Structures are given as structure tokens and as C-alpha cells.
Amino acid sequence: MTDGIAEEAKEQKNCISSYEKALNDLDEVEQPGDNWTEKLIGVLVARDIIHVALSDKSSISQQPIDINLLIQLDKRLKDKAAKDITQLGQLAEWRKSVNPLPERWWWYLKGPLPRSLNEAVNEYSDLLNEYDAENDPWYKDLWNWVTMGKLNHETEADQAIQV
């Protein structure tokens, strides 16, 4: 009986240790690259394992020291995403394969904020173009029509004023 409890505690510690090791491994790799992608997926999967263990309350320790370590590691992952991870756009593609529930927030990390308005506009345009290409072939034509219509309208207005 005691062996079972000790084994469960060891497994739980291994889950959190595996998550910590995966984060450490990710810190050591420069992005972008296949090895970096593999390391990031390793972090996400390690966090998935902890989520499953937490869902089954009997299989994970609720000791404050363990929960505190998990909270620190989660914060570290969020901070890393906000500061360093620039290729989080891949997560959208990965989510199509994995189909994680929204409660698995680590699959929905947000990257660093753009440093300028131009970067924000470019990033938004890029994401919009990706969405358009994948999901709505008519949207681009509509956007071009609206934009060109606006440009033509302004040109006609300018010509009328000049007359």
C-alpha cells in the first residue's frame, strides 16, 4: 500500500520535473529551427500530462510546494511566450492536429506584442491573409473591391473638387 502512494508521488514529481526539463531544454535552443519546434512541442505535451494528472485528483500531489513549482513553471512559459517566442503562429496549425480544449491555455499562447503600430498592422494583415487563403476565398476579392472602390471614390471626389 505504501509503495503505491510512494510511486504516485514519484510519478507526479516526474511530471513536473519533465515539464521543468522541457522548459530548460527550450531555453537552450535558438529559434527558429526544427529542434526548437520539437522542444516547444515537448513543453506543450509535458504540460498536457500535468493537466491530465490534475484532472484525476488522486494521481497528483496537492502539496503546496508542488503546486507552487507548477505555478512558477506556468508563469515562466507565459513570460517566455510574451518575450521570446516569435513563431507562435505555428500553434494555430498545430491546434488543428491536436484539437486541444480551450482550458489547455498553453496551446493558445500569445507571442510578443509588436513594437510599433506598423508591426501590429503588418502582423494583423499577415494573419488576415492566412485566414483568407485558408477559409474564405471570396473575402480577399471583397476586400479588394471595397478598397479599390474607396480609392476610386476618393479619386472621383478629388477630380470633382478640382473642376
Side-chain angles (χ1 to χ4, degrees):
M1 178 86 166
T2 311
D3 290 339
I5 294 171
E7 196 62 35
E8 282 183 20
K10 185 177 176 184
E11 283 182 32
Q12 182 268 332
K13 292 232 185 260
N14 286 340
C15 288
I16 294 176
S17 295
S18 295
Y19 181 40
E20 185 173 25
K21 182 182 181 325
L23 276 169
N24 291 338
D25 289 348
L26 184 63
D27 285 339
E28 295 174 7
V29 178
E30 289 186 33
Q31 59 175 317
D34 290 338
N35 200 21
W36 180 86
T37 300
E38 190 175 299
K39 299 294 183 186
L40 179 57
I41 291 172
V43 169
L44 301 175
V45 170
R47 188 58 180 86
D48 277 343
I49 291 168
I50 292 172
H51 178 77
V52 170
L54 283 171
S55 297
D56 180 16
K57 300 247 189 249
S58 64
S59 69
I60 193 163
S61 167
Q62 298 293 322
Q63 296 297 318
I65 193 166
D66 297 326
I67 299 301
N68 186 42
L69 177 59
L70 177 60
I71 290 168
Q72 289 174 3
L73 293 173
D74 284 347
K75 182 179 181 328
R76 190 170 141 202
L77 177 58
K78 290 174 189 174
D79 289 347
K80 183 160 188 63
K83 293 177 188 168
D84 300 332
I85 302 175
T86 58
Q87 297 197 347
L88 286 173
Q90 293 176 332
L91 283 177
E93 191 63 34
W94 297 348
R95 283 192 300 265
K96 290 178 184 176
S97 297
V98 178
N99 200 21
L101 296 173
E103 66 194 33
R104 294 184 181 202
W105 55 265
W106 50 95
W107 285 98
Y108 299 90
L109 291 168
K110 302 293 183 211
L113 295 175
R115 290 181 284 280
S116 71
L117 180 58
N118 285 339
E119 287 182 25
V121 169
N122 289 339
E123 183 178 331
Y124 178 75
S125 295
D126 291 345
L127 290 173
L128 205 71
N129 288 336
E130 285 179 28
Y131 175 82
D132 294 343
E134 292 177 11
N135 299 307
D136 193 356
W138 293 100
Y139 183 80
K140 186 175 182 181
D141 292 335
L142 177 62
W143 177 252
N144 288 338
W145 180 80
V146 169
T147 305
M148 295 311 256
K150 181 178 179 187
L151 292 175
N152 288 339
H153 177 69
E154 289 174 356
T155 305
E156 291 170 8
D158 289 340
Q159 289 174 355
I161 291 172
Q162 292 175 359
V163 173

